Amino acid sequence: MLKMRLSDVLMDLRAEKLFSAHWTESIDDEFLRNLSKVHGIAAASARRRLNAMKARCPEWEVFMGSEDFQAVPSSVDPKDRHVAAAALALRHAADQDAEEAPATDYQVILLTENIKDFAPSHMRRLGVQVLQPGAFLDKSYQAAPQQTSRAVMRAVSELSRPPYSLAELLDVLRTEGARALVAGMSRELEIE
């Protein structure tokens, strides 16, 4: 979620209620630290961005227990164990919900740029799919093209510092791997 334009689109996609976004306080701390370190964003601006994300995702906070950490495969990079544990805590919560309401089926997806650090095949066996954001956007577009397109258009309309054209934002999303989304929207809107 450090890449600004990408996270803008993801948060607008969340506003379309296509998914729920979850994270922990330790991920908050990591986000704030890295937003400053990687992007040079002042602490106050980083905090405002995080608060805006939390406002879009009232369900954000994940509560974990020791069993969630114990379930993390040893092949997950040690520095990312807390993120994998959060995803497994969500999987456990989703499984409990499914027991109470059998018609409910939740996919748990961990979005990350560094897939290899999260042992995707091991996590998949535990019920968590590990995806890069571009692949997630493509899946969203394939499942709900109108809502996904609306989220991208909302992001364009909200981007004022600096402003982005639709073509510029689609180029960013293409770079992030959302090729199906970009191709579909470009075709629909006749953008070359």
Side-chain angles (χ1 to χ4, degrees):
M1 299 298 281
L2 291 178
K3 294 182 178 178
M4 304 292 223
R5 303 300 67 103
L6 181 61
S7 66
D8 290 335
V9 171
L10 288 168
M11 288 297 104
D12 285 327
L13 193 59
R14 167 57 187 94
E16 290 288 332
K17 299 183 178 168
L18 290 178
F19 69 96
S20 296
H22 303 274
W23 61 90
T24 65
E25 286 186 7
S26 63
I27 294 171
D28 278 357
D29 295 341
E30 189 174 351
F31 173 81
L32 292 171
R33 186 175 56 253
N34 287 323
L35 202 56
S36 175
K37 187 170 133 183
V38 173
H39 292 285
I41 295 180
S45 294
R47 175 61 64 184
R48 278 193 301 277
R49 184 160 185 84
L50 178 61
N51 289 339
M53 290 168 57
K54 286 180 173 182
R56 280 274 164 95
C57 307
E59 74 285 356
W60 72 272
E61 192 165 13
V62 176
F63 299 99
M64 299 181 290
S66 60
E67 66 278 359
D68 300 309
F69 280 94
Q70 291 168 358
V72 174
S74 61
S75 50
V76 170
D77 189 293
K79 70 181 179 351
D80 293 318
R81 290 182 62 76
H82 67 291
V83 178
L88 291 171
L90 286 172
R91 176 75 269 154
H92 297 146
D95 291 345
Q96 286 176 344
D97 284 353
E99 287 175 14
E100 295 169 16
T104 307
D105 181 31
Y106 298 104
Q107 288 186 16
V108 176
I109 300 170
L110 190 157
L111 289 185
T112 180
E113 293 291 325
N114 60 343
I115 287 180
K116 65 178 175 50
D117 288 353
F118 285 95
S121 60
H122 291 114
M123 292 295 286
R124 188 177 315 109
R125 284 194 288 273
L126 295 171
V128 175
Q129 186 176 11
V130 181
L131 288 177
Q132 290 184 317
F136 177 75
L137 289 172
D138 280 348
K139 284 175 101 50
S140 297
Y141 182 76
Q142 290 161 352
Q146 290 179 329
Q147 291 145 303
T148 305
S149 295
R150 215 172 21 243
V152 172
M153 298 302 285
R154 182 181 300 124
V156 168
S157 72
E158 293 171 349
L159 291 171
S160 58
R161 292 185 196 166
Y164 269 70
S165 69
L166 178 57
E168 289 170 323
L169 184 56
L170 289 177
D171 190 50
V172 168
L173 297 178
R174 180 183 301 111
T175 301
E176 294 300 325
R179 290 177 184 84
L181 180 152
V182 171
M185 284 190 71
S186 296
R187 191 171 41 257
E188 286 172 28
L189 301 170
E190 298 179 359
I191 298 171
E192 293 187 30

